[in-house]
Amino acid sequence: MKPAGSDGGGERRLRTTVVAVPSDGDDACIAEARHVAAAFLGRARAEGGVAVSARAVDVTQLVVSELVTNARRYAPGPLWMELRIADDVVEVTVQDGSRVQPVAHLTDPGRVGRHGLEIVVAVAQAFRVRLEPSGKRVTATVALGHGSADGTRRAGSPPPGPR
């Protein structure tokens, strides 16, 4: 998985990288996507002076893993992952070829599996889905600071619901 593009830009607090996620083969690309996310945040910290907490790296890797896994499981064709830092957040966007809107299940500790989107909605500051003619873009926003998730949502973030 190689960055398809990277914008160092003139603004110190804005960094973007886009990577292609292979749609064939085994699930090793999911682990690789997590590594790409950690390396991206590490570069933002080391080269850009962006304050990135260890918690932010962990949560971002979790979000990347769940979003890429869902896209590989439920969407045909190639996938793209975009990581973008703006101000005090990192936006993780996964674009795929399915126009089916994903919906988080209601919390059910007895359910085995299918908790991925539920987890993303719980740990992200914001979650949104944008349908496009060729598929959809799923974006989760993660705070870069040391604070813990407080359960609040920004405008446009749907609550969990039945799938």
Side-chain angles (χ1 to χ4, degrees), residues 114-125:
R114 301 190 72 177
H115 292 278
L117 202 52
E118 179 184 332
I119 292 168
V120 171
V121 169
V123 301
Q125 281 190 320

Side-chain angles (χ1 to χ4, degrees), residues 12-100:
R12 187 177 82 85
R13 299 286 297 190
L14 176 63
R15 301 282 185 265
T16 302
T17 190
V18 179
V19 295
V21 179
S23 58
D24 56 352
D26 61 24
D27 288 335
C29 73
I30 297 164
E32 192 171 343
R34 286 191 303 264
H35 294 303
V36 166
F40 171 74
L41 292 174
R43 283 190 311 276
R45 181 188 300 139
E47 298 170 11
V50 178
V52 179
S53 70
R55 179 188 181 281
V57 174
D58 292 343
V59 172
T60 300
Q61 287 183 295
L62 174 62
V63 166
V64 162
S65 182
E66 296 300 338
L67 293 182
V68 171
T69 297
N70 284 351
R72 280 188 45 82
R73 181 170 292 152
Y74 301 113
L79 312 174
W80 293 91
M81 179 177 74
E82 178 180 347
L83 303 166
R84 180 177 183 268
I85 293 176
D87 298 322
D88 60 349
V89 298
V90 59
E91 292 180 349
V92 177
T93 300
V94 174
Q95 183 176 353
D96 65 45
S98 171
R99 289 190 41 84
V100 175

